Amino acid sequence: MRNREKEDFILGILFVVFAIGLIVYSAFLPSPGGWMVGPGTVPIGLCAILGVLGGGLMMQARRKGMALAAEISSKKGIWVTLKESRELHRALLAILFVSAYVFSISYLQFYPASLLFIFIGIRIYTPRVKWYSALLTAILTVVGLFIIFSYIFGLPLRLGVFEYVLKLILGRTYL
Amino acid sequence: MIDFGLLAEQFSMLFTPARLLLLVGFSFLGLLCGAMPGISSTMTISLLISLTYGMSPFNGLLILIAAYTASTFGGSISATLLNVPGTPAAAATVLEAYPMAQRGEAGRAIGIATVQSFTGGILGTLILLFSAPLVAELALRFGPWEYFWFSIFGIFICANLSGESTIKGLIAGIFGILFSLVGVDPLHGVLRYTFGIPQLEGGISYIPALIGLYGVAEALSEFIKTTEGVVIHPKSGVLPPLREYVRGLWLSLKVTFLGFLIGALPGTGANIAAWVGYDHAKRVSKHPERFGKGNPEGIVGAETANNACCAGVYLPLLTLAIPGDATTAIVLGMMLVHGLRPGPSMWIEQPHWIYAVVAMHFIANIAFALQGYTLARPLAKILQLPRRAIMTVVIILCTIGSYAINSNMFDVYLTLAFGVLGLLMRRFGFEVAPLVLGMVLGDLMDIQFRRAILTSNYSFAPFFTRPICIILIVILVYMTMKEVPFFRAKISRVFKRKR
């Protein structure tokens, strides 16, 4: 069985489990107007269909080439492949990098975090670009974003440390 | 009845220097984004939505329409020069345009794409103008039963047509509906699936989710890639000879209708229209054997259909408040933010908006066609910019777009979460479009279902006895049966016997 079918089989199981869980959860939602118009009616119906579709996905995976469900946990199974996958490593790095940017906004504020993100992003993903070009690109982009979003459209995006830089240059804070 | 006076008034409103500047600027931006592989039309619109909050609704709608039509066409430029479709709607164009570029006819291929996209766009807009009043009149008779089935129909069609597996499409659609049900139940005020997180009580806003699913997910998948394409520069002129245009006119007329019809079906979109157009061109061609080797007829079929579809997707949006595809789902979000209420009542309360959309489509088509002719060569140079560096800026624009809605960091975290979800969905072969449509239509489906039950005194009968409901159910049953191997074999046997 190929990897895609193994993955589909496991996903099918997960969907069935998820559907059962959500049906149980939805069944306990209070329904003041009777069960037919209760807040859990539509979700229960949908989860029942989801469960059937999950089963369908498992069957489709089996039909396409799976011999035994036990094969999933075999040595050459999906987890080994995932562990060795370079694609997965790159994906994790990308997710980590973007998450770090998003969560750093709360601490560094929007513009300084964005400047760092563009500079580091260009250095990581386009190494052929020289560091000073990357820095210049980052500065120009952030200035452009400031002009468009903060100056023209007045979005309340925090300047962070740049507020002090502006104060030094202009003699007053911007926001 | 069409009010041509109101239409003329909307045209006159567009002809101000500031609006023409906006039109040209955002049409160019759309062209650029569409031409850049990895930045789809939906992603472009989801990035631009943050700009519309600070604008008047008229200007906001104008920039979205200008960017959407231009980016749908722009996909053909990288399809020709890079052998990579800039947008999914240009996937069929690659098959013919790139072989032409390899023969040294890149300019001619872009020229044909430009003329045909323009033709499809203008004719599609005309069909929108004449068909929208009729559909709106019909929609005024719709009750909650019809709206319920229309929502199901849209999600089902989307799941059925947009990916490799209908089962996966339907699963994505159901998850979309479930996401839309998070928050306070509007009928009884009961909290659903908030799991103690106060920020979820207001529900999951679908705009941050869309930005994540299209913008962040696309940027993440670009970060994962290891290679970038090689650009072919157009050497020949871009303007095709008139006789070539006249030769393809009949085909483009037929394909326009097909593209518009596909766009008008809730849950479809330009990429499906392009494939249907391409397939039709191949079937009616005198030389089908030349397809795949650089046959201009293939470009005519695909490009006319996908741009006619751009107008078609506005038909269900304006008449039923049901978006035709993911892009119009974002436009619907923008309209709601600005207090506009599309749907059948818009024809009575705010008809000028319908004519405004038509007028904007006309002008936007002219704008991208002119830019397509003049900017094809400079665009080839821009395509050489490192895409991954551009994607860092895309992530920042996604952050701004989701933050700007409520000035709330929780929306940014949601965008990130949906971005990761989008990446996982692509990895495991799930289409994003049904999820998006589920999120947009799920709320409507839930409310209309329960309203219908209450209206009919707790009876399910009207769901199955009203004429439009019956038609929709028959189509849904047929499409479901086609997916079950046993019935599929039976159906194909019946059709073979008839032949």
Side-chain angles (χ1 to χ4, degrees):
Chain A
M1 186 170 73
R2 288 175 302 151
N3 268 340
R4 175 50 66 84
E5 277 81 52
K6 286 181 193 172
E7 288 164 5
D8 284 355
F9 193 85
I10 295 169
L11 283 172
I13 296 171
L14 290 177
F15 290 138
V16 172
V17 172
F18 176 82
I20 293 168
L22 213 62
I23 286 175
V24 174
Y25 183 90
S26 307
F28 286 102
L29 285 172
S31 39
W35 70 269
M36 279 168 87
V37 288
T41 312
V42 171
I44 288 174
L46 288 171
C47 287
I49 301 170
L50 181 66
V52 173
L53 291 172
L57 196 63
M58 286 160 65
M59 276 169 62
Q60 208 176 50
R62 274 195 73 104
R63 217 180 26 241
K64 274 185 185 171
M66 190 187 148
L68 285 166
E71 201 183 332
I72 293 161
S73 55
S74 71
K75 250 190 174 178
K76 285 276 174 192
I78 181 173
W79 305 118
V80 178
T81 322
L82 281 178
K83 240 173 136 181
E84 289 167 358
S85 164
R86 279 191 163 195
E87 188 200 357
L88 179 75
H89 296 160
R90 279 200 300 273
L92 284 177
L93 175 73
I95 293 169
L96 210 70
F97 177 52
V98 175
S99 306
Y101 163 63
V102 168
F103 289 105
S104 71
I105 293 173
S106 306
Y107 302 101
L108 297 175
Q109 305 306 335
F110 178 75
Y111 288 108
S114 300
L115 187 128
L116 273 177
F117 178 71
I118 298 173
F119 176 67
I120 298 170
I122 294 176
R123 291 299 294 148
I124 295 175
Y125 291 108
T126 324
R128 69 169 190 269
V129 177
K130 296 272 189 304
W131 72 267
Y132 47 84
S133 301
L135 186 65
L136 190 69
T137 310
I139 292 170
L140 290 177
T141 309
V142 167
V143 170
L145 290 172
F146 174 77
I147 292 170
I148 295 170
F149 290 103
S150 292
Y151 191 73
I152 299 176
F153 290 109
L155 285 182
L157 299 165
R158 305 298 302 177
L159 280 160
V161 72
F162 294 150
E163 202 141 348
Y164 300 104
V165 178
L166 274 183
K167 197 177 180 182
L168 276 176
I169 300 167
L170 302 173
R172 62 180 176 86
T173 52
Y174 178 74
L175 294 171
Chain B
M1 192 69 193
I2 300 160
D3 187 342
F4 286 101
L6 206 51
L7 181 65
E9 194 182 292
Q10 297 307 311
F11 269 112
S12 69
M13 280 176 74
L14 281 168
F15 286 102
T16 64
R19 283 187 176 140
L20 287 177
L21 202 68
L22 271 181
L23 177 82
V24 173
F26 283 92
S27 183
F28 174 69
L29 195 72
L31 198 67
L32 192 67
C33 292
M36 196 75 75
I39 305 182
S40 63
S41 306
T42 315
M43 185 176 173
T44 308
I45 302 303
S46 63
L47 294 177
L48 287 181
I49 194 143
S50 55
L51 289 177
T52 65
Y53 302 138
M55 291 179 172
S56 69
F58 192 91
N59 289 352
L61 205 55
L62 174 66
I63 68 164
L64 294 187
I65 288 174
Y68 180 39
T69 48
S71 64
T72 306
F73 156 69
S76 65
I77 294 177
S78 58
T80 311
L81 306 179
L82 266 172
N83 195 23
V84 180
T87 60
T93 311
V94 173
L95 301 178
E96 306 304 330
Y98 191 69
M100 283 180 77
Q102 282 177 314
R103 288 202 302 252
E105 293 179 321
R108 186 177 161 221
I110 292 176
I112 293 169
T114 311
V115 173
Q116 297 306 334
S117 298
F118 173 73
T119 309
I122 292 287
L123 292 176
T125 309
L126 276 175
I127 303 173
L128 173 69
L129 176 66
F130 288 102
S131 61
L134 305 173
V135 179
E137 208 177 303
L138 185 73
L140 279 171
R141 293 176 204 156
F142 286 3
W145 305 273
E146 282 83 7
Y147 273 105
F148 168 76
W149 281 116
F150 258 113
S151 328
I152 301 239
F153 183 74
I155 296 164
F156 192 87
I157 296 254
C158 190
N160 200 287
L161 298 179
S162 61
E164 55 182 64
S165 155
T166 304
I167 291 184
K168 286 185 176 179
L170 286 172
I171 289 173
I174 288 178
F175 269 96
I177 301 171
L178 291 173
F179 280 131
S180 77
L181 301 181
V182 172
V184 179
D185 164 32
L187 229 62
H188 299 301
V190 175
L191 281 178
R192 285 191 289 194
Y193 319 119
T194 55
F195 304 105
I197 302 168
Q199 286 95 333
L200 286 179
E201 285 174 16
I204 296 175
S205 169
Y206 72 81
I207 291 179
L210 268 171
I211 295 173
L213 287 165
Y214 283 98
V216 176
E218 193 58 59
L220 284 172
S221 53
E222 197 64 44
F223 286 152
I224 297 165
K225 282 180 195 163
T226 47
T227 51
E228 290 195 38
V230 180
V231 182
I232 295 177
H233 287 266
K235 289 183 186 110
S236 57
V238 167
L239 198 68
L242 188 67
R243 61 184 156 76
E244 187 154 17
Y245 176 65
V246 174
R247 212 187 300 151
L249 196 62
W250 177 235
L251 174 65
S252 55
L253 277 174
K254 285 190 289 180
V255 171
T256 296
F257 274 100
L258 275 177
F260 184 88
L261 271 178
I262 289 164
L265 282 177
T268 54
N271 45 345
I272 296 162
W275 280 113
V276 172
Y278 179 81
D279 181 60
H280 181 77
K282 193 176 176 180
R283 275 193 289 114
V284 299
S285 172
K286 284 177 190 163
H287 304 286
E289 75 285 352
R290 288 186 197 163
F291 274 72
K293 295 169 190 162
N295 189 340
E297 284 174 300
I299 305 177
V300 174
E303 286 301 311
T304 312
N306 67 22
N307 271 73
C309 178
C310 286
V313 290
Y314 278 85
L315 185 67
L317 176 73
L318 295 174
T319 56
L320 300 166
I322 292 176
D325 64 355
T327 314
T328 36
I330 307 172
V331 177
L332 173 66
M334 174 258 158
M335 291 175 98
L336 295 175
V337 166
H338 282 285
L340 306 177
R341 295 277 174 271
S345 57
M346 194 178 226
W347 282 91
I348 300 158
E349 291 156 13
Q350 303 165 306
H352 60 281
W353 281 109
I354 318 277
Y355 295 106
V357 168
V358 170
M360 285 170 192
H361 264 100
F362 269 114
I363 306 287
N365 276 294
I366 295 168
F368 85 69
L370 290 175
Q371 293 186 26
Y373 280 130
T374 49
L375 300 173
R377 290 186 192 198
L379 268 173
K381 289 207 171 99
I382 295 174
L383 287 181
Q384 286 174 320
L385 286 173
R387 280 208 293 279
R388 267 168 264 160
I390 293 167
M391 287 301 167
T392 54
V393 182
V394 165
I395 293 278
I396 293 172
L397 291 175
C398 290
T399 310
I400 299 176
S402 49
Y403 178 78
I405 305 164
N406 299 313
S407 301
N408 182 359
M409 272 312 280
F410 184 74
D411 285 340
V412 181
Y413 301 143
L414 266 183
T415 300
L416 177 66
F418 275 96
V420 176
L421 177 70
L423 185 72
L424 287 173
M425 285 178 72
R426 280 157 212 238
R427 169 66 186 77
F428 291 112
F430 287 82
E431 278 292 320
V432 171
L435 180 94
V436 169
L437 219 67
M439 284 191 82
V440 177
L441 297 178
D443 206 24
L444 176 87
M445 193 193 97
D446 178 46
I447 292 290
Q448 298 296 359
F449 174 79
R450 293 193 281 159
R451 194 169 288 162
I453 296 281
L454 287 171
T455 313
S456 55
N457 280 328
Y458 292 85
S459 165
F460 284 104
F463 280 109
F464 304 98
T465 50
R466 289 170 70 96
I468 294 167
C469 294
I470 294 171
I471 295 169
L472 291 171
I473 291 168
V474 168
I475 299 171
L476 282 170
V477 169
Y478 172 71
M479 290 183 79
T480 313
M481 283 167 81
K482 256 180 69 181
E483 289 306 313
V484 181
F486 173 75
F487 291 114
R488 192 167 41 214
K490 289 249 173 204
I491 291 169
S492 62
R493 219 175 294 152
V494 168
F495 278 107
K496 263 183 199 166
R497 211 177 295 154
K498 275 194 176 172
R499 262 182 232 155

